[in-house]
Amino acid sequence: MAKLTRLELHGFKSVDGEGQSIDIGAVTVLLGANGAGKSNLVSFLRMVNYMTSGGLQNYVADQGFADSLLYFGSKTTTTISARLQFEDEAAKDEYAFTLRRDATNRLYFQDETVTYHATGRQNPQVRQLGGGSKESQLSDCAKVGDKTCGVVLSLLSACKVFQFHDTSATAKIRTEGYTDDARYLRSDGGNLAAFLRGLKNRSGGEKYYERIIRHISQMVPQFGDFDLQTLPENDKYVRLNWREKGSEHLFGPHQLSDGSLRFMALAALFLQPPDTRPKVIIVDEPELGLHPSAIAALAGMVKTAAVQTQVILATQSPRLVDEFSADQVVIVERDTAKPRSVFRRIEPAKLSDWLDHYCLSELWEKNVLGGQP
């Protein structure tokens, strides 16, 4: 399957009209201080995923309407435009669009284009999907049999954003969930119990389930296994119950720490079977609430998944960034000349002398890499 290789973005939140271009690899670590713009890029990728299922207007409303998405509002910026490139040995696919604010403070498509360029062919096939619509035309184009639209829609749909920050007492991850909600792990991990139960019971899934359990046990020493039986009062629902090693006593999800619960969701995300794992996984601040040893284990799971799945991490954790190489890191910082976000890849060759004596986190803290407040 083709991989996301490049993303160009203009006019979205802290990215100004001049825009930013980011090369995407197997692992891309966005490193920067609070307010630098990391989460804004994650937010854009979430918007693209909403667009693939006809949910752009829902996303815009949830964000506070168009003026909240346009760089410094509609008085400064009139459009958001983007270009995403996917490549494999056979071809290069591209999806480009421009969104404009309307009189009701919503966004509509000014234009939308898909491009297919076969390797060795001189001229690409370009399909203009038109303009004026409130939702993407990709799905409709694919439904009438356009192969290029179908391929691009599939690629974009496989880019998923995850954030497991909400582990409060009322969070879905701590409450019961519908057993049939097990096809894929939801973006907030709210169906973790149902997802793990489905994985354990599916043909060929048990070895992946056991791998997840092993990783959790290494970080939560008292943890033995989940007890994912349906609820006695309603066999259509399941809860993230668990047992300690060597004990029959049943514990509930309310008896797990926030960090333990987040690590469980991360383990399920990165160690699930390749056929259910998204082709591009984007996680915002995955290190939140994790012990340093759990952060190291997280990096190991990311590297395991990255053999077949692209991973984009947004972080400000020195401990996490030290688990990756310099060429995997993108520094995110605010421009000193104007109020905008700048995304810049580290060039290891220019830092070779520094890297002989310091790790990446030390160079970041010394502001050699940039990306500090």
Side-chain angles (χ1 to χ4, degrees), residues 76-138:
T76 301
T77 307
T78 58
T79 61
I80 296 167
S81 62
R83 187 181 306 273
L84 295 92
Q85 295 179 352
F86 298 84
E87 294 184 47
D88 59 17
E89 295 179 355
K92 178 187 294 185
D93 296 291
E94 185 176 280
Y95 176 61
F97 62 88
T98 300
L99 299 171
R100 180 177 288 274
R101 180 188 183 277
D102 67 14
T104 64
N105 203 10
R106 302 272 186 168
L107 292 174
Y108 69 92
F109 284 84
Q110 179 175 296
D111 57 67
E112 188 177 17
T113 306
V114 293
T115 303
Y116 172 80
H117 195 172
T119 302
R121 295 287 183 91
Q122 184 174 358
N123 297 317
Q125 298 176 16
V126 181
R127 176 70 182 270
Q128 301 285 347
L129 303 184
S133 60
K134 292 184 178 180
E135 298 290 346
S136 169
Q137 298 301 298
L138 261 179

Short mmCIF file of all heavy atoms in Angstrom, two decimals, residues 76-138:
data_model
loop_
_atom_site.label_atom_id
_atom_site.label_comp_id
_atom_site.label_asym_id
_atom_site.label_seq_id
_atom_site.Cartn_x
_atom_site.Cartn_y
_atom_site.Cartn_z
N THR A 76 -7.90 37.94 8.05
CA THR A 76 -6.50 37.78 7.64
C THR A 76 -6.35 36.72 6.56
O THR A 76 -5.57 36.88 5.62
CB THR A 76 -5.63 37.39 8.86
OG1 THR A 76 -5.74 38.41 9.84
CG2 THR A 76 -4.17 37.20 8.46
N THR A 77 -7.08 35.63 6.70
CA THR A 77 -6.93 34.48 5.81
C THR A 77 -8.28 34.06 5.27
O THR A 77 -9.24 33.90 6.03
CB THR A 77 -6.30 33.29 6.57
OG1 THR A 77 -5.09 33.72 7.19
CG2 THR A 77 -6.01 32.13 5.64
N THR A 78 -8.40 33.89 3.97
CA THR A 78 -9.69 33.55 3.36
C THR A 78 -9.85 32.08 3.06
O THR A 78 -10.97 31.58 2.93
CB THR A 78 -9.89 34.35 2.06
OG1 THR A 78 -8.79 34.05 1.16
CG2 THR A 78 -9.91 35.85 2.34
N THR A 79 -8.73 31.35 2.92
CA THR A 79 -8.83 29.94 2.53
C THR A 79 -7.84 29.07 3.30
O THR A 79 -6.81 29.54 3.78
CB THR A 79 -8.55 29.75 1.02
OG1 THR A 79 -7.22 30.17 0.72
CG2 THR A 79 -9.55 30.52 0.17
N ILE A 80 -8.18 27.81 3.38
CA ILE A 80 -7.28 26.75 3.84
C ILE A 80 -7.02 25.85 2.65
O ILE A 80 -7.97 25.39 1.99
CB ILE A 80 -7.92 25.92 4.97
CG1 ILE A 80 -8.16 26.78 6.21
CG2 ILE A 80 -7.05 24.70 5.32
CD1 ILE A 80 -9.06 26.11 7.24
N SER A 81 -5.77 25.58 2.36
CA SER A 81 -5.46 24.66 1.26
C SER A 81 -4.43 23.65 1.71
O SER A 81 -3.63 23.92 2.61
CB SER A 81 -4.95 25.42 0.03
OG SER A 81 -3.74 26.10 0.31
N ALA A 82 -4.49 22.48 1.09
CA ALA A 82 -3.59 21.40 1.49
C ALA A 82 -3.35 20.47 0.32
O ALA A 82 -4.15 20.40 -0.63
CB ALA A 82 -4.17 20.63 2.67
N ARG A 83 -2.25 19.74 0.42
CA ARG A 83 -1.88 18.74 -0.57
C ARG A 83 -1.22 17.57 0.16
O ARG A 83 -0.27 17.77 0.92
CB ARG A 83 -0.92 19.33 -1.60
CG ARG A 83 -0.59 18.44 -2.78
CD ARG A 83 0.39 19.15 -3.71
NE ARG A 83 -0.11 20.45 -4.13
CZ ARG A 83 -0.89 20.66 -5.16
NH1 ARG A 83 -1.27 19.65 -5.92
NH2 ARG A 83 -1.30 21.88 -5.48
N LEU A 84 -1.75 16.37 -0.02
CA LEU A 84 -1.18 15.17 0.59
C LEU A 84 -0.71 14.22 -0.51
O LEU A 84 -1.48 13.94 -1.45
CB LEU A 84 -2.19 14.46 1.48
CG LEU A 84 -2.65 15.23 2.74
CD1 LEU A 84 -3.90 16.05 2.45
CD2 LEU A 84 -2.94 14.26 3.88
N GLN A 85 0.52 13.75 -0.40
CA GLN A 85 1.09 12.87 -1.43
C GLN A 85 1.33 11.48 -0.85
O GLN A 85 1.85 11.34 0.27
CB GLN A 85 2.40 13.45 -1.95
CG GLN A 85 2.23 14.76 -2.69
CD GLN A 85 3.56 15.33 -3.19
OE1 GLN A 85 4.62 14.82 -2.86
NE2 GLN A 85 3.49 16.39 -3.98
N PHE A 86 0.94 10.47 -1.60
CA PHE A 86 1.16 9.08 -1.25
C PHE A 86 1.93 8.41 -2.38
O PHE A 86 1.63 8.64 -3.56
CB PHE A 86 -0.18 8.35 -1.06
CG PHE A 86 -1.02 8.88 0.06
CD1 PHE A 86 -1.86 9.98 -0.14
CD2 PHE A 86 -1.00 8.29 1.31
CE1 PHE A 86 -2.65 10.47 0.88
CE2 PHE A 86 -1.79 8.78 2.34
CZ PHE A 86 -2.61 9.86 2.14
N GLU A 87 2.90 7.59 -2.03
CA GLU A 87 3.73 6.96 -3.06
C GLU A 87 3.98 5.49 -2.75
O GLU A 87 4.07 5.09 -1.59
CB GLU A 87 5.08 7.67 -3.17
CG GLU A 87 5.03 9.10 -3.68
CD GLU A 87 6.42 9.69 -3.85
OE1 GLU A 87 7.28 8.99 -4.44
OE2 GLU A 87 6.64 10.82 -3.40
N ASP A 88 4.09 4.69 -3.82
CA ASP A 88 4.66 3.35 -3.75
C ASP A 88 5.45 3.12 -5.03
O ASP A 88 5.66 4.07 -5.80
CB ASP A 88 3.59 2.28 -3.53
CG ASP A 88 2.53 2.25 -4.63
OD1 ASP A 88 2.77 2.82 -5.72
OD2 ASP A 88 1.46 1.65 -4.40
N GLU A 89 5.89 1.92 -5.26
CA GLU A 89 6.72 1.65 -6.43
C GLU A 89 5.96 1.83 -7.73
O GLU A 89 6.56 2.11 -8.78
CB GLU A 89 7.29 0.23 -6.36
CG GLU A 89 8.26 0.02 -5.20
CD GLU A 89 8.78 -1.40 -5.14
OE1 GLU A 89 8.30 -2.22 -5.95
OE2 GLU A 89 9.66 -1.68 -4.31
N ALA A 90 4.65 1.67 -7.69
CA ALA A 90 3.87 1.70 -8.93
C ALA A 90 3.40 3.09 -9.33
O ALA A 90 3.24 3.37 -10.52
CB ALA A 90 2.65 0.78 -8.79
N ALA A 91 3.17 3.96 -8.34
CA ALA A 91 2.56 5.24 -8.68
C ALA A 91 2.69 6.23 -7.54
O ALA A 91 3.06 5.90 -6.41
CB ALA A 91 1.09 5.05 -9.02
N LYS A 92 2.34 7.48 -7.87
CA LYS A 92 2.23 8.55 -6.88
C LYS A 92 0.80 9.06 -6.94
O LYS A 92 0.29 9.43 -8.00
CB LYS A 92 3.20 9.68 -7.19
CG LYS A 92 3.10 10.87 -6.24
CD LYS A 92 3.97 12.04 -6.68
CE LYS A 92 5.43 11.70 -6.59
NZ LYS A 92 6.29 12.89 -6.90
N ASP A 93 0.12 9.07 -5.80
CA ASP A 93 -1.24 9.60 -5.69
C ASP A 93 -1.20 10.91 -4.91
O ASP A 93 -0.39 11.07 -3.99
CB ASP A 93 -2.15 8.61 -4.97
CG ASP A 93 -2.32 7.31 -5.72
OD1 ASP A 93 -2.94 7.33 -6.79
OD2 ASP A 93 -1.82 6.27 -5.24
N GLU A 94 -2.10 11.82 -5.27
CA GLU A 94 -2.12 13.12 -4.62
C GLU A 94 -3.55 13.58 -4.42
O GLU A 94 -4.41 13.38 -5.28
CB GLU A 94 -1.36 14.13 -5.49
CG GLU A 94 -1.19 15.49 -4.88
CD GLU A 94 -0.35 16.38 -5.77
OE1 GLU A 94 0.89 16.25 -5.75
OE2 GLU A 94 -0.94 17.21 -6.49
N TYR A 95 -3.79 14.16 -3.26
CA TYR A 95 -5.09 14.74 -2.96
C TYR A 95 -4.87 16.19 -2.55
O TYR A 95 -4.09 16.48 -1.64
CB TYR A 95 -5.78 13.97 -1.83
CG TYR A 95 -7.10 14.56 -1.38
CD1 TYR A 95 -8.16 14.68 -2.27
CD2 TYR A 95 -7.28 15.00 -0.07
CE1 TYR A 95 -9.38 15.22 -1.86
CE2 TYR A 95 -8.49 15.53 0.35
CZ TYR A 95 -9.54 15.64 -0.55
OH TYR A 95 -10.74 16.17 -0.15
N ALA A 96 -5.55 17.10 -3.24
CA ALA A 96 -5.41 18.53 -2.96
C ALA A 96 -6.79 19.17 -2.87
O ALA A 96 -7.72 18.76 -3.56
CB ALA A 96 -4.58 19.20 -4.05
N PHE A 97 -6.90 20.16 -1.99
CA PHE A 97 -8.19 20.85 -1.87
C PHE A 97 -7.97 22.25 -1.32
O PHE A 97 -6.94 22.55 -0.71
CB PHE A 97 -9.14 20.07 -0.94
CG PHE A 97 -8.65 19.93 0.48
CD1 PHE A 97 -8.93 20.91 1.43
CD2 PHE A 97 -7.91 18.82 0.87
CE1 PHE A 97 -8.49 20.78 2.74
CE2 PHE A 97 -7.47 18.69 2.18
CZ PHE A 97 -7.75 19.66 3.11
N THR A 98 -8.97 23.09 -1.55
CA THR A 98 -9.02 24.43 -0.96
C THR A 98 -10.38 24.62 -0.33
O THR A 98 -11.41 24.35 -0.96
CB THR A 98 -8.78 25.52 -2.02
OG1 THR A 98 -7.50 25.34 -2.61
CG2 THR A 98 -8.85 26.91 -1.39
N LEU A 99 -10.40 25.06 0.92
CA LEU A 99 -11.62 25.35 1.64
C LEU A 99 -11.76 26.85 1.83
O LEU A 99 -10.79 27.53 2.16
CB LEU A 99 -11.62 24.66 3.01
CG LEU A 99 -11.52 23.14 3.03
CD1 LEU A 99 -11.32 22.64 4.45
CD2 LEU A 99 -12.76 22.50 2.42
N ARG A 100 -12.97 27.37 1.65
CA ARG A 100 -13.22 28.81 1.82
C ARG A 100 -14.38 29.01 2.79
O ARG A 100 -15.32 28.22 2.83
CB ARG A 100 -13.54 29.44 0.46
CG ARG A 100 -13.81 30.95 0.53
CD ARG A 100 -14.03 31.52 -0.86
NE ARG A 100 -12.79 31.57 -1.61
CZ ARG A 100 -11.91 32.56 -1.58
NH1 ARG A 100 -12.13 33.61 -0.80
NH2 ARG A 100 -10.82 32.52 -2.31
N ARG A 101 -14.30 30.09 3.55
CA ARG A 101 -15.37 30.43 4.51
C ARG A 101 -16.56 31.02 3.77
O ARG A 101 -16.41 31.84 2.85
CB ARG A 101 -14.84 31.45 5.52
CG ARG A 101 -15.85 31.90 6.57
CD ARG A 101 -15.25 33.05 7.37
NE ARG A 101 -16.10 33.53 8.44
CZ ARG A 101 -17.09 34.39 8.32
NH1 ARG A 101 -17.38 34.88 7.11
NH2 ARG A 101 -17.80 34.79 9.36
N ASP A 102 -17.77 30.58 4.19
CA ASP A 102 -18.96 31.18 3.60
C ASP A 102 -19.58 32.19 4.57
O ASP A 102 -19.04 32.46 5.65
CB ASP A 102 -19.98 30.10 3.18
CG ASP A 102 -20.57 29.35 4.37
OD1 ASP A 102 -20.42 29.80 5.52
OD2 ASP A 102 -21.19 28.29 4.15
N ALA A 103 -20.74 32.75 4.20
CA ALA A 103 -21.35 33.81 5.00
C ALA A 103 -21.87 33.32 6.35
O ALA A 103 -22.12 34.12 7.26
CB ALA A 103 -22.50 34.45 4.22
N THR A 104 -22.04 32.02 6.49
CA THR A 104 -22.55 31.46 7.75
C THR A 104 -21.42 30.96 8.65
O THR A 104 -21.67 30.25 9.63
CB THR A 104 -23.53 30.30 7.47
OG1 THR A 104 -22.83 29.22 6.83
CG2 THR A 104 -24.67 30.76 6.59
N ASN A 105 -20.18 31.34 8.33
CA ASN A 105 -19.00 30.96 9.11
C ASN A 105 -18.73 29.45 9.04
O ASN A 105 -18.23 28.85 9.99
CB ASN A 105 -19.13 31.41 10.57
CG ASN A 105 -17.76 31.55 11.25
OD1 ASN A 105 -16.72 31.51 10.60
ND2 ASN A 105 -17.78 31.72 12.56
N ARG A 106 -19.11 28.86 7.92
CA ARG A 106 -18.79 27.45 7.64
C ARG A 106 -17.72 27.41 6.55
O ARG A 106 -17.33 28.43 6.00
CB ARG A 106 -20.03 26.70 7.15
CG ARG A 106 -21.19 26.72 8.13
CD ARG A 106 -21.12 25.58 9.09
NE ARG A 106 -22.29 25.50 9.95
CZ ARG A 106 -22.57 24.46 10.72
NH1 ARG A 106 -21.76 23.41 10.75
NH2 ARG A 106 -23.64 24.45 11.49
N LEU A 107 -17.23 26.22 6.28
CA LEU A 107 -16.28 26.05 5.19
C LEU A 107 -16.92 25.25 4.07
O LEU A 107 -17.72 24.33 4.32
CB LEU A 107 -15.03 25.30 5.69
CG LEU A 107 -14.13 26.02 6.68
CD1 LEU A 107 -13.03 25.08 7.19
CD2 LEU A 107 -13.51 27.27 6.07
N TYR A 108 -16.56 25.59 2.84
CA TYR A 108 -17.00 24.79 1.70
C TYR A 108 -15.80 24.57 0.77
O TYR A 108 -14.79 25.28 0.86
CB TYR A 108 -18.15 25.47 0.95
CG TYR A 108 -17.78 26.74 0.21
CD1 TYR A 108 -17.38 26.71 -1.14
CD2 TYR A 108 -17.81 27.98 0.85
CE1 TYR A 108 -17.03 27.88 -1.81
CE2 TYR A 108 -17.46 29.15 0.19
CZ TYR A 108 -17.07 29.08 -1.14
OH TYR A 108 -16.71 30.24 -1.80
N PHE A 109 -15.91 23.59 -0.10
CA PHE A 109 -14.83 23.27 -1.03
C PHE A 109 -14.83 24.24 -2.20
O PHE A 109 -15.77 24.26 -3.00
CB PHE A 109 -14.96 21.83 -1.53
CG PHE A 109 -14.52 20.80 -0.53
CD1 PHE A 109 -15.40 20.35 0.44
CD2 PHE A 109 -13.23 20.29 -0.56
CE1 PHE A 109 -15.01 19.41 1.36
CE2 PHE A 109 -12.82 19.35 0.37
CZ PHE A 109 -13.71 18.90 1.34
N GLN A 110 -13.78 25.03 -2.30
CA GLN A 110 -13.60 25.87 -3.47
C GLN A 110 -13.12 25.03 -4.64
O GLN A 110 -13.53 25.24 -5.79
CB GLN A 110 -12.60 26.98 -3.17
CG GLN A 110 -12.34 27.91 -4.35
CD GLN A 110 -11.44 29.07 -3.97
OE1 GLN A 110 -11.81 29.90 -3.14
NE2 GLN A 110 -10.25 29.14 -4.55
N ASP A 111 -12.24 24.08 -4.35
CA ASP A 111 -11.82 23.12 -5.38
C ASP A 111 -11.30 21.86 -4.67
O ASP A 111 -10.95 21.88 -3.49
CB ASP A 111 -10.75 23.69 -6.31
CG ASP A 111 -9.52 24.16 -5.56
OD1 ASP A 111 -8.80 23.32 -4.99
OD2 ASP A 111 -9.25 25.38 -5.54
N GLU A 112 -11.27 20.76 -5.43
CA GLU A 112 -10.85 19.47 -4.90
C GLU A 112 -10.33 18.64 -6.07
O GLU A 112 -10.99 18.52 -7.10
CB GLU A 112 -12.03 18.78 -4.22
CG GLU A 112 -11.68 17.52 -3.46
CD GLU A 112 -12.90 16.93 -2.74
OE1 GLU A 112 -14.05 17.31 -3.10
OE2 GLU A 112 -12.70 16.09 -1.84
N THR A 113 -9.14 18.07 -5.90
CA THR A 113 -8.47 17.39 -7.02
C THR A 113 -7.80 16.10 -6.54
O THR A 113 -7.21 16.07 -5.45
CB THR A 113 -7.39 18.29 -7.64
OG1 THR A 113 -7.97 19.54 -8.00
CG2 THR A 113 -6.77 17.65 -8.87
N VAL A 114 -7.89 15.06 -7.35
CA VAL A 114 -7.11 13.85 -7.12
C VAL A 114 -6.24 13.61 -8.35
O VAL A 114 -6.66 13.88 -9.48
CB VAL A 114 -7.99 12.62 -6.84
CG1 VAL A 114 -8.73 12.77 -5.53
CG2 VAL A 114 -8.96 12.36 -7.97
N THR A 115 -5.03 13.13 -8.11
CA THR A 115 -4.07 12.92 -9.20
C THR A 115 -3.45 11.54 -9.06
O THR A 115 -3.08 11.13 -7.96
CB THR A 115 -2.96 13.99 -9.17
OG1 THR A 115 -3.55 15.28 -9.24
CG2 THR A 115 -1.99 13.81 -10.33
N TYR A 116 -3.33 10.84 -10.20
CA TYR A 116 -2.66 9.55 -10.24
C TYR A 116 -1.55 9.62 -11.28
O TYR A 116 -1.79 9.97 -12.44
CB TYR A 116 -3.66 8.44 -10.62
CG TYR A 116 -3.02 7.10 -10.88
CD1 TYR A 116 -2.64 6.26 -9.83
CD2 TYR A 116 -2.79 6.66 -12.19
CE1 TYR A 116 -2.06 5.03 -10.07
CE2 TYR A 116 -2.21 5.43 -12.44
CZ TYR A 116 -1.84 4.62 -11.37
OH TYR A 116 -1.25 3.39 -11.62
N HIS A 117 -0.32 9.35 -10.83
CA HIS A 117 0.82 9.42 -11.75
C HIS A 117 1.56 8.09 -11.70
O HIS A 117 2.31 7.81 -10.75
CB HIS A 117 1.75 10.56 -11.36
CG HIS A 117 2.72 10.92 -12.44
ND1 HIS A 117 3.55 12.02 -12.37
CD2 HIS A 117 3.01 10.32 -13.64
CE1 HIS A 117 4.29 12.09 -13.46
NE2 HIS A 117 3.99 11.06 -14.24
N ALA A 118 1.34 7.26 -12.70
CA ALA A 118 1.98 5.94 -12.74
C ALA A 118 3.48 6.09 -12.99
O ALA A 118 3.92 6.94 -13.77
CB ALA A 118 1.35 5.09 -13.84
N THR A 119 4.26 5.27 -12.32
CA THR A 119 5.71 5.28 -12.49
C THR A 119 6.07 4.99 -13.94
O THR A 119 5.57 4.04 -14.54
CB THR A 119 6.37 4.23 -11.58
OG1 THR A 119 6.01 4.52 -10.22
CG2 THR A 119 7.88 4.26 -11.72
N GLY A 120 6.91 5.84 -14.52
CA GLY A 120 7.33 5.65 -15.90
C GLY A 120 6.45 6.34 -16.92
O GLY A 120 6.82 6.41 -18.10
N ARG A 121 5.29 6.82 -16.51
CA ARG A 121 4.40 7.55 -17.42
C ARG A 121 4.72 9.04 -17.37
O ARG A 121 4.99 9.59 -16.30
CB ARG A 121 2.94 7.33 -17.02
CG ARG A 121 2.46 5.89 -17.17
CD ARG A 121 2.28 5.51 -18.62
NE ARG A 121 1.76 4.16 -18.75
CZ ARG A 121 0.47 3.87 -18.81
NH1 ARG A 121 -0.43 4.84 -18.70
NH2 ARG A 121 0.07 2.63 -18.95
N GLN A 122 4.65 9.69 -18.51
CA GLN A 122 5.01 11.10 -18.56
C GLN A 122 3.92 11.99 -17.98
O GLN A 122 4.20 12.93 -17.24
CB GLN A 122 5.30 11.52 -20.00
CG GLN A 122 5.78 12.96 -20.13
CD GLN A 122 6.19 13.31 -21.56
OE1 GLN A 122 6.15 12.46 -22.45
NE2 GLN A 122 6.59 14.55 -21.78
N ASN A 123 2.67 11.69 -18.31
CA ASN A 123 1.58 12.57 -17.91
C ASN A 123 0.71 11.94 -16.82
O ASN A 123 0.28 10.79 -16.95
CB ASN A 123 0.69 12.91 -19.11
CG ASN A 123 1.46 13.66 -20.18
OD1 ASN A 123 2.23 14.57 -19.87
ND2 ASN A 123 1.27 13.27 -21.44
N PRO A 124 0.43 12.66 -15.74
CA PRO A 124 -0.44 12.15 -14.69
C PRO A 124 -1.91 12.25 -15.10
O PRO A 124 -2.28 13.02 -15.98
CB PRO A 124 -0.15 13.07 -13.51
CG PRO A 124 0.25 14.37 -14.15
CD PRO A 124 0.99 13.99 -15.41
N GLN A 125 -2.75 11.45 -14.46
CA GLN A 125 -4.19 11.55 -14.64
C GLN A 125 -4.75 12.44 -13.54
O GLN A 125 -4.60 12.13 -12.36
CB GLN A 125 -4.84 10.17 -14.57
CG GLN A 125 -4.37 9.21 -15.65
CD GLN A 125 -4.98 7.82 -15.47
OE1 GLN A 125 -5.95 7.64 -14.74
NE2 GLN A 125 -4.40 6.85 -16.14
N VAL A 126 -5.37 13.54 -13.92
CA VAL A 126 -5.88 14.51 -12.96
C VAL A 126 -7.40 14.54 -13.03
O VAL A 126 -7.99 14.66 -14.10
CB VAL A 126 -5.32 15.92 -13.24
CG1 VAL A 126 -5.85 16.92 -12.21
CG2 VAL A 126 -3.80 15.91 -13.23
N ARG A 127 -8.02 14.40 -11.88
CA ARG A 127 -9.49 14.42 -11.83
C ARG A 127 -9.94 15.59 -10.97
O ARG A 127 -9.66 15.65 -9.77
CB ARG A 127 -10.00 13.10 -11.24
CG ARG A 127 -11.52 13.04 -11.05
CD ARG A 127 -12.26 12.96 -12.39
NE ARG A 127 -13.69 12.94 -12.20
CZ ARG A 127 -14.43 11.83 -12.04
NH1 ARG A 127 -13.83 10.66 -12.04
NH2 ARG A 127 -15.73 11.91 -11.90
N GLN A 128 -10.60 16.56 -11.59
CA GLN A 128 -11.15 17.71 -10.87
C GLN A 128 -12.53 17.32 -10.34
O GLN A 128 -13.41 16.93 -11.10
CB GLN A 128 -11.27 18.92 -11.81
CG GLN A 128 -9.97 19.38 -12.42
CD GLN A 128 -9.08 20.12 -11.44
OE1 GLN A 128 -9.54 20.50 -10.35
NE2 GLN A 128 -7.84 20.32 -11.81
N LEU A 129 -12.70 17.42 -9.02
CA LEU A 129 -13.98 17.04 -8.43
C LEU A 129 -14.93 18.22 -8.29
O LEU A 129 -16.04 18.07 -7.76
CB LEU A 129 -13.75 16.40 -7.06
CG LEU A 129 -12.84 15.17 -7.03
CD1 LEU A 129 -12.78 14.59 -5.63
CD2 LEU A 129 -13.30 14.13 -8.03
N GLY A 130 -14.50 19.39 -8.75
CA GLY A 130 -15.37 20.56 -8.73
C GLY A 130 -15.27 21.34 -7.44
O GLY A 130 -14.41 21.12 -6.60
N GLY A 131 -16.19 22.28 -7.27
CA GLY A 131 -16.21 23.14 -6.09
C GLY A 131 -17.63 23.51 -5.73
O GLY A 131 -18.58 23.21 -6.44
N GLY A 132 -17.76 24.17 -4.58
CA GLY A 132 -19.06 24.63 -4.13
C GLY A 132 -19.77 23.70 -3.17
O GLY A 132 -20.80 24.07 -2.59
N SER A 133 -19.24 22.51 -2.96
CA SER A 133 -19.90 21.54 -2.09
C SER A 133 -19.48 21.74 -0.63
O SER A 133 -18.38 22.20 -0.34
CB SER A 133 -19.58 20.12 -2.53
OG SER A 133 -18.19 19.89 -2.47
N LYS A 134 -20.36 21.34 0.28
CA LYS A 134 -20.07 21.45 1.71
C LYS A 134 -19.27 20.27 2.23
O LYS A 134 -18.66 20.35 3.29
CB LYS A 134 -21.38 21.57 2.50
CG LYS A 134 -22.12 22.88 2.25
CD LYS A 134 -23.35 22.98 3.14
CE LYS A 134 -24.06 24.31 2.93
NZ LYS A 134 -25.28 24.41 3.80
N GLU A 135 -19.28 19.16 1.49
CA GLU A 135 -18.54 17.97 1.88
C GLU A 135 -17.70 17.49 0.70
O GLU A 135 -17.96 17.83 -0.45
CB GLU A 135 -19.49 16.85 2.33
CG GLU A 135 -20.34 17.18 3.55
CD GLU A 135 -19.52 17.28 4.84
OE1 GLU A 135 -18.36 16.84 4.85
OE2 GLU A 135 -20.06 17.80 5.83
N SER A 136 -16.69 16.68 1.01
CA SER A 136 -15.81 16.14 -0.02
C SER A 136 -16.60 15.29 -1.01
O SER A 136 -17.53 14.56 -0.64
CB SER A 136 -14.71 15.29 0.63
OG SER A 136 -14.00 14.57 -0.34
N GLN A 137 -16.21 15.37 -2.28
CA GLN A 137 -16.84 14.57 -3.33
C GLN A 137 -16.09 13.26 -3.58
O GLN A 137 -16.44 12.50 -4.49
CB GLN A 137 -16.88 15.38 -4.63
CG GLN A 137 -17.72 16.65 -4.55
CD GLN A 137 -19.15 16.35 -4.17
OE1 GLN A 137 -19.86 15.67 -4.90
NE2 GLN A 137 -19.58 16.85 -3.01
N LEU A 138 -15.06 12.99 -2.80
CA LEU A 138 -14.26 11.78 -3.01
C LEU A 138 -15.11 10.51 -2.95
O LEU A 138 -14.98 9.62 -3.80
CB LEU A 138 -13.17 11.70 -1.94
CG LEU A 138 -11.77 12.17 -2.31
CD1 LEU A 138 -10.84 12.02 -1.11
CD2 LEU A 138 -11.22 11.39 -3.49
#
